[in-house]
Amino acid sequence: MLTSRNTLLLLVAVLIAGLAVTGYALYEEKKQPDGVQISVGKNGLSIKEK
């Protein structure tokens, strides 16, 4: 009984840690980088500082 409960708690902890790591990775991927954005469009060259 105690072993199965410990196994279940370990599994839940691993799943929560996996979700946290995945969420942080997605957050970092979506975050805009700091610096300068250069774009070329129909109105010419555009430089924006972020």
Side-chain angles (χ1 to χ4, degrees), residues 19-34:
L19 285 174
V21 168
T22 302
Y24 181 74
L26 288 173
Y27 167 75
E28 286 294 319
E29 185 178 319
K30 298 284 184 185
K31 188 171 69 168
Q32 291 288 332
D34 293 335

Side-chain angles (χ1 to χ4, degrees), residues 9-24:
L9 289 176
L10 178 64
L11 180 62
V12 169
V14 168
L15 288 174
I16 290 173
L19 285 174
V21 168
T22 302
Y24 181 74

Side-chain angles (χ1 to χ4, degrees), residues 1-2 5 19 24 26-27 33 37 44-46 49-50:
M1 177 81 169
L2 186 60
R5 183 175 179 187
L19 285 174
Y24 181 74
L26 288 173
Y27 167 75
Q37 177 184 1
L45 185 65
S46 173
E49 188 173 338
K50 293 201 170 204

